[in-house]
Amino acid sequence: MAEEKEAVIDLTPDVGEIIFNIDVMLAKRKMSVTELAERVGITIANISVLKNGRAKAIKVSTLTRLCNALDCQPGDLLEYRKSDEH
């Protein structure tokens, strides 16, 4: 199985960061990035941006489609980490 990595979106380092756990959910659902992209209706490149923590924002509609495709809640995908927890 591929190593599960967390994607860190660090937009406000003095406040904290949002961790995107798409890899974890993909592994739990035994789903490929390609299949997820097809189910959500976005490109593999955009899934990769989310997975690798390079996203500056995410539309609520995209988050909704991700949750639907992965049969999960937003909290399963997103995690907040305070800056002092590095």
Side-chain angles (χ1 to χ4, degrees):
M1 182 185 329
E3 178 182 335
E4 296 175 8
K5 298 187 321 183
E6 57 186 29
V8 177
I9 301 173
D10 191 4
L11 301 177
T12 53
D14 57 325
V15 175
E17 60 197 7
I18 297 294
I19 311 299
F20 227 100
N21 295 309
I22 289 181
D23 277 342
V24 174
M25 291 308 299
L26 284 171
K28 285 182 179 180
R29 301 297 184 249
K30 296 182 169 125
M31 187 183 299
S32 70
V33 172
T34 303
E35 182 179 351
L36 180 61
E38 288 172 0
R39 287 185 180 197
V40 173
I42 63 176
T43 65
I44 294 171
N46 282 336
I47 294 285
S48 294
V49 166
L50 293 171
K51 281 179 45 175
N52 297 324
R54 296 188 317 264
K56 301 255 188 270
I58 183 170
K59 290 181 179 181
V60 173
S61 60
T62 301
L63 182 57
T64 301
R65 291 193 313 263
L66 283 166
C67 289
N68 182 57
L70 292 166
D71 190 28
C72 67
Q73 294 295 313
D76 296 326
L77 294 174
L78 301 171
E79 174 187 344
Y80 170 71
R81 188 175 297 163
K82 291 182 180 180
S83 59
D84 61 305
E85 293 183 18
H86 293 279

